Amino acid sequence: MERPGSSSGFFVSEWFVQLIAGAATDLLRRGMVFARAFRHPVQRDRLGDEMGRLAGYQTRETRVRSIFSALLLALLFAGSVGGVSGLVGITAAHAAEPNISEIVVQGNQRIEAETVRSYMLLTPGMPYDPEVADQSLKQLFGTGLFADITMHLDGSRLIVSVVENPIVNRVAFEGNSALKEEDLQKEVQLQPRIVYTRAKVQGDVTRMIELYRRSGRFSATVEPKVIQLPQNRVDLVFEITEGPKTKIASINFIGNAEFSDGTLREVISTSESAWWKFLSSSDSYDPDRLTYDRELLRRYYLQRGYADFRVVSAVADLSRGDAAFHITFTVDEGEVYEFGDVAVTTELDKLNKEELETLLLPKSGDTYNAGLIDETIDKLTFAAGTSGYAFAEVRPRIKRRRDERVIDLTFQITEGPRVYVERINITGNSRTLDKVVRRQMRMAEGDAFNKVLLDKSEKNIRALQYFSKVEIAQSPGSAPDKTIINVDVQEQSTGSLSLSAGFSTLDNAVAGIQLSERNFLGRGLQLSTALSISKRRQLIEFHYTDPYFLDRDLLGGFDLFGSETNFQNESSFDSRSQGFGLRFGFPLSEKSRFLARYQFRLDEIFNVRYLSCSDPALVPGDYCVSPIIKDAEGTEYRSIVGYDYYYDNRNDPVEPTGGWDFLFTQNFAGLGGSVRYVSTEILTRYYYQLSKDFLTSWRIDGGYIQGIGDDVPLNDHFFKGGNNIRGFARGGVGPRDVTSSNKDAVGATAYIFGTAELSFPNGLPEALGIKTSVFTDAGFIGMSDYDRTLYPGIEDDFSPRASVGVSLYWQSPFGPIRLDLAQVLLDEPYDEKEAFRFSAGTSF
């Protein structure tokens, strides 16, 4: 076919010349590939890829070229086509480059020249190829070690000139006050002794700005400054302008008919800005918190019967006028549903259907509540697990009758597939050692997965109180029968510096300081030391506890202590005590522990400055003390062996809302020393949640001490009041010698007290974190063992005492603060009262 405007002969000639030229070029490229590969073994591995690449473009024209290149190769060796070989010679002369005799690296300071050559594809002896040189440049730039690289030929020498990126000497932050420097350090990739690059700097700036935005500062800017240092080093300074905090001006809801805007604002975690929220961060815009708020709204409605509820949108608009966000939630409430038929089905032999039905929380006719479904699943799963079905699955089957607005619910319990723990990943513990967390897990790698044990593991980790957040989740393993357990924790301060103060109607002011660390060196070791230098008491003590002694589930520890206490207000004497103690404990079951103790101490009653009220030398009107105290003056040695039994059946070890615990303590004095007695004390607490905001708690504690062969010494009697029964001073209730000038307390041998407390909402903003409760304390104390014929002035009525009051608790940024106001209802004339108690502390 002829090309338009051209003769057939000319077209064929032109096409033939192009074909010959293309074939010659193709032949030359293939020859260079073969030569490069066989002359340099390091390139042989690339031969197959190169030939494949060339062969991969075999279009109709290139196939013809390949045939002609083969013919040309034969003609060249035969020397029979002079014109064509001349054409090939011209093409080869144009494409050929000299072989590289040497690669010279210039400009490098820290990086060895051989290191630069190792990243290059060109090597000495190879012909210079611009394509290979370009690939070498890309590989060198890809290392991030160089700011600039150039290559050029100097005869047969290849000159590679590099400009190295500097090394970061120091990273500093200026202008930051809202965010701590350690928080910013976690966001930046550039650290000392790391190669500086502009890309890394820009990435660090972006991450810091995002961090500021999440803290509510959307106008924050970060400008990096580089300070050049000798030896190609730099100091990197991030100059930060934080700007004002962008507040939330309003939160509005569209589509809500059943619940008001004010009610829904209490549901979500984000709140509108107010002057008294200066300690809270909930009034700053955070997109992650907004996502969480959508889920909180969904839960709120689903727990109140709105099974079709959905959040249509959640939009945050930043206004220019007041530089604040206006958040709008658009919701679709839907209709209220009720529970219809509620049943449970199972084919597992060991499960009793009638017993399972008693665990069903949803009841037919009640308003639909998705929370009850989740709680029932947990109860049924636990029941199946305790019956031996560790892999039981509980699936709720829901049948929705939209016309009647009724939901039928069936809980189906089946034996799930056996799954094994492939791996346990622990994240977030930057300080605490992995083994401290792992030893609280009730499962290990290779064990069969058990949901009940997983829940217990989470409670055990939370009970450590090393972490502010503990989340345990599952992810698929490498096989269908394997699972990975991911434990994500967020560490909190485990050291505390506690300050305490109190005030009574008798000007009994007390103060103290205590320093403790519950997770020493991240190993779970517990250290505490207390020092009190108040007017009333001087105390120094040291406690050491290893909760996993010898890397086993054993507790070991020792105590050193010394104290001097002024009991002049209560009993007209001072007391001094010093000694040491040893402790050893172990678990008896999943919920109970046993602790054995030994203590040796030297106790002294001194500074009894006045005569006994029974002393014949006493002049009427003189100040006198109880003869019991005068007789007790002196020093005694105590060698005490004791034990504790503790059972914990609470649903949460930190903030329980249900369940109970029990403590039984006994001490035996007399294995050496000069004092012999047996004392027994009990403590039990019960928690019950009336509703989400109302929690009741009950407490009962009691004790009894019996002397062996003699009366119980004064120091070992029970002196109660203060925290035991609020409204009374320490030692303010119990037996007294009313004939003494001070009405000295002489202690009791038996007591029993009870407390009922109700926590309730106080109407204050939840962001303040102030909790309120009302309480009533009541009990009996007395039964002194003193001989009334020798001490006729003793008043000992084992009669009831009672008080009521209000307690305020504030988890402030400076530490916990507690305030108790009490009014005594039942007392004896010789009791001493204390209407107000205050304590405060802080943590680090």
Side-chain angles (χ1 to χ4, degrees):
M1 183 175 180
E2 295 182 1
R3 178 185 294 180
S6 302
S7 65
S8 177
F10 178 79
F11 172 73
V12 172
S13 300
E14 183 182 7
W15 177 83
F16 185 75
V17 171
Q18 291 176 354
L19 182 62
I20 293 298
T25 303
D26 183 65
L27 176 63
L28 179 62
R29 294 176 65 184
R30 292 173 185 267
M32 291 176 65
V33 171
F34 274 103
R36 189 185 311 156
F38 285 102
R39 291 181 182 178
H40 305 281
V42 295
Q43 299 291 335
R44 289 177 186 171
D45 293 339
R46 299 192 181 96
L47 175 60
D49 296 337
E50 183 70 14
M51 295 304 295
R53 185 179 65 83
L54 294 174
Y57 298 97
Q58 292 289 319
T59 61
R60 182 173 180 272
E61 182 178 354
T62 56
R63 285 197 297 271
V64 175
R65 288 182 179 179
S66 298
I67 296 172
F68 268 89
S69 64
L71 293 174
L72 286 174
L73 182 62
L75 291 173
L76 284 172
F77 282 111
S80 57
V81 185
V84 175
S85 63
L87 178 61
V88 173
I90 293 172
T91 306
H94 176 74
E97 296 287 354
N99 289 342
I100 300 172
S101 62
E102 183 184 4
I103 297 179
V104 180
V105 180
Q106 297 178 348
N108 56 311
Q109 300 178 17
R110 301 183 316 273
I111 303 169
E112 297 290 337
E114 192 59 37
T115 302
V116 178
R117 297 187 189 102
S118 67
Y119 288 105
M120 298 177 60
L121 301 178
L122 292 170
T123 58
M126 289 178 57
Y128 179 80
D129 187 336
E131 293 184 7
V132 180
D134 183 63
Q135 292 295 325
S136 299
L137 283 173
K138 290 179 179 178
Q139 288 201 183
L140 287 171
F141 274 113
T143 63
L145 300 173
F146 307 104
D148 191 21
I149 308 169
T150 59
M151 290 184 186
H152 68 276
L153 282 172
D154 182 9
S156 62
R157 299 166 66 230
L158 179 62
I159 308 300
V160 181
S161 299
V162 298
V163 177
E164 294 178 352
N165 277 322
I167 293 293
V168 177
N169 177 65
R170 185 173 64 94
V171 179
F173 303 90
E174 294 181 356
N176 59 301
S177 59
L179 294 180
K180 297 179 180 179
E181 184 169 328
E182 49 264 33
D183 295 331
L184 296 173
Q185 284 283 5
K186 295 176 183 178
E187 295 297 321
V188 299
Q189 290 184 345
L190 285 173
Q191 301 290 340
R193 297 181 298 278
I194 290 181
V195 176
Y196 169 90
T197 65
R198 293 182 179 178
K200 290 181 180 179
V201 172
Q202 293 303 318
D204 290 344
V205 169
T206 301
R207 280 186 292 273
M208 283 191 286
I209 290 178
E210 180 63 23
L211 187 64
Y212 271 102
R213 288 187 174 183
R214 291 187 178 279
S215 65
R217 299 180 184 272
F218 278 75
S219 60
T221 59
V222 179
E223 185 177 354
K225 294 294 181 66
V226 178
I227 303 174
Q228 300 290 340
L229 299 175
Q231 300 177 352
N232 200 23
R233 295 176 301 123
V234 295
D235 283 345
L236 179 60
V237 180
F238 292 101
E239 294 184 354
I240 302 171
T241 303
E242 294 181 329
K245 200 169 186 179
T246 309
K247 299 294 185 177
I248 296 178
S250 65
I251 301 177
N252 303 306
F253 296 86
I254 299 175
N256 54 312
E258 184 63 27
F259 301 102
S260 66
D261 286 12
T263 300
L264 296 182
R265 289 191 192 103
E266 294 295 325
V267 174
I268 61 178
S269 60
T270 305
S271 61
E272 295 178 346
S273 300
W275 66 266
W276 44 263
K277 294 182 181 180
F278 62 94
L279 297 175
S280 173
S281 61
S282 62
D283 60 341
S284 59
Y285 172 67
D286 186 343
D288 291 339
R289 187 186 291 124
L290 205 63
T291 302
Y292 178 59
D293 289 339
R294 295 171 67 113
E295 177 63 19
L296 290 178
L297 288 172
R298 191 185 71 86
R299 292 179 187 177
Y300 183 80
Y301 272 92
L302 290 180
Q303 291 174 358
R304 286 156 180 78
Y306 294 87
D308 296 329
F309 172 82
R310 64 191 183 98
V311 179
V312 179
S313 65
V315 180
D317 294 322
L318 181 61
S319 63
R320 295 184 178 180
D322 51 5
F325 279 100
H326 298 265
I327 298 177
T328 303
F329 291 93
T330 303
V331 301
D332 182 5
E333 292 182 330
E335 301 290 340
V336 177
Y337 283 74
E338 293 181 351
F339 284 116
D341 298 331
V342 181
V344 58
T345 61
T346 181
E347 298 178 355
L348 303 180
D349 298 334
K350 296 181 182 179
L351 296 182
N352 187 304
K353 184 177 179 181
E354 287 73 19
E355 294 180 358
L356 295 177
E357 288 177 347
T358 62
L359 302 176
L360 300 181
L361 298 179
K363 306 297 180 183
S364 180
D366 290 350
T367 302
Y368 175 79
N369 187 337
L372 296 180
I373 298 177
D374 295 335
E375 293 180 28
T376 302
I377 292 174
D378 292 338
K379 287 180 176 292
L380 294 176
T381 302
F382 184 82
T386 54
S387 299
Y389 296 101
F391 305 98
E393 290 185 352
V394 181
R395 298 180 179 177
R397 304 298 185 184
I398 294 177
K399 182 180 180 181
R400 189 173 311 207
R401 291 182 274 166
R402 296 185 182 275
D403 295 340
E404 304 175 44
R405 293 198 293 276
V406 171
I407 293 179
D408 296 329
L409 183 61
T410 301
F411 293 94
Q412 185 178 9
I413 306 177
T414 59
E415 178 69 22
R418 188 171 292 270
V419 179
Y420 296 91
V421 178
E422 179 180 6
R423 190 170 65 253
I424 299 176
N425 298 325
I426 301 174
T427 58
N429 55 321
S430 58
R431 177 168 174 263
T432 305
L433 300 182
D434 272 14
K435 72 174 185 178
V436 175
V437 180
R438 287 183 182 275
R439 64 196 185 191
Q440 300 301 325
M441 298 291 296
R442 290 298 172 259
M443 290 180 292
E445 283 89 347
D447 290 352
F449 177 79
N450 188 315
K451 182 66 167 59
V452 176
L453 295 180
L454 189 66
D455 293 341
K456 290 181 179 179
S457 299
E458 182 174 354
K459 290 182 179 179
N460 290 343
I461 297 174
R462 294 185 71 249
L464 294 174
Q465 299 189 43
Y466 301 162
F467 312 107
S468 60
K469 181 191 73 172
V470 179
E471 293 181 355
I472 299 182
Q474 294 175 247
S475 60
S478 59
D481 62 342
K482 295 181 179 180
T483 185
I484 297 174
I485 298 177
N486 298 305
V487 182
D488 184 29
V489 298
Q490 182 175 330
E491 292 190 308
Q492 64 181 1
S493 60
T494 55
S496 64
L497 174 64
S498 299
L499 306 173
S500 61
F503 174 80
S504 73
T505 55
L506 299 177
D507 276 339
N508 186 16
V510 295
I513 179 172
Q514 181 178 9
L515 183 68
S516 66
E517 171 58 61
R518 302 190 309 273
N519 187 19
F520 184 63
L521 299 178
R523 299 176 178 273
L525 304 176
Q526 300 171 10
L527 300 178
S528 69
T529 181
L531 174 65
S532 174
I533 53 176
S534 66
K535 180 180 179 181
R536 181 179 182 275
R537 190 181 193 195
Q538 296 80 47
L539 168 70
I540 182 170
E541 58 183 357
F542 177 80
H543 304 281
Y544 169 84
T545 303
D546 186 353
Y548 271 79
F549 184 58
L550 300 177
D551 283 332
R552 298 177 179 272
D553 195 6
L554 304 172
L555 182 145
F558 66 88
D559 312 296
L560 301 172
F561 54 87
S563 66
E564 186 173 311
T565 307
N566 183 334
F567 288 102
Q568 296 292 336
N569 284 337
E570 297 94 338
S571 303
S572 301
F573 70 88
D574 291 343
S575 173
R576 183 182 295 120
S577 179
Q578 51 193 336
F580 69 91
L582 302 173
R583 289 170 284 120
F584 180 77
F586 52 88
L588 296 176
S589 67
E590 186 69 29
K591 297 182 178 181
S592 62
R593 295 189 67 89
F594 180 86
L595 177 69
R597 303 182 314 276
Y598 174 76
Q599 186 180 88
F600 182 86
R601 78 175 190 256
L602 170 65
D603 292 339
E604 180 183 5
I605 291 179
F606 67 102
N607 203 15
V608 181
R609 294 175 291 180
Y610 303 100
L611 294 176
S612 167
C613 294
S614 61
D615 194 315
L618 185 68
V619 177
D622 283 354
Y623 195 97
C624 65
V625 300
S626 170
I628 295 176
I629 296 173
K630 199 65 176 178
D631 293 344
E633 188 175 13
T635 302
E636 291 179 312
Y637 298 89
R638 285 167 173 79
S639 178
I640 303 171
V641 177
Y643 69 90
D644 296 339
Y645 170 78
Y646 180 65
Y647 189 90
D648 189 356
N649 194 41
R650 296 174 297 173
N651 62 352
D652 189 284
V654 181
E655 296 183 355
T657 57
W660 56 276
D661 63 346
F662 174 77
L663 175 64
F664 181 85
T665 299
Q666 273 197 320
N667 290 316
F668 302 89
L671 187 64
S674 58
V675 175
R676 291 174 175 82
Y677 63 79
V678 177
S679 69
T680 303
E681 292 185 85
I682 61 169
L683 167 67
T684 183
R685 295 172 293 190
Y686 178 77
Y687 303 88
Y688 182 76
Q689 192 170 28
L690 299 176
S691 66
K692 178 183 177 182
D693 299 322
F694 291 85
L695 173 67
T696 61
S697 61
W698 287 267
R699 170 189 171 115
I700 296 177
D701 60 326
Y704 180 75
I705 187 170
Q706 174 68 48
I708 300 177
D710 201 353
D711 291 340
V712 178
L714 175 66
N715 263 5
D716 296 296
H717 281 74
F718 298 119
F719 291 83
K720 297 296 181 179
N723 291 331
N724 306 101
I725 178 167
R726 286 163 284 190
F728 295 90
R730 184 189 183 279
V733 291
R736 287 182 177 274
D737 189 337
V738 295
T739 61
S740 64
S741 301
N742 191 38
K743 292 185 173 58
D744 296 322
V746 293
T749 61
Y751 73 92
I752 182 169
F753 292 114
T755 296
E757 192 160 355
L758 172 65
S759 301
F760 60 92
N762 50 31
L764 297 174
E766 190 173 340
L768 292 178
I770 299 178
K771 298 180 180 180
T772 310
S773 64
V774 293
F775 64 84
T776 177
D777 295 340
F780 298 82
I781 184 170
M783 298 178 64
S784 62
D785 58 350
Y786 301 112
D787 189 340
R788 299 299 178 88
T789 60
L790 297 177
Y791 310 111
I794 293 178
E795 291 284 351
D796 181 13
D797 298 302
F798 199 72
S799 57
R801 274 83 162 178
S803 65
V804 296
V806 178
S807 181
L808 298 178
Y809 178 80
W810 179 28
Q811 186 62 42
S812 74
F814 317 104
I817 295 177
R818 187 178 187 92
L819 179 72
D820 293 321
L821 297 172
Q823 174 65 45
V824 174
L825 300 180
L826 295 174
D827 66 326
E828 292 297 322
Y830 50 84
D831 291 337
E832 293 187 1
K833 304 175 184 178
E834 180 184 71
F836 170 78
R837 286 188 68 85
F838 167 81
S839 64
T842 186
S843 61
F844 63 92

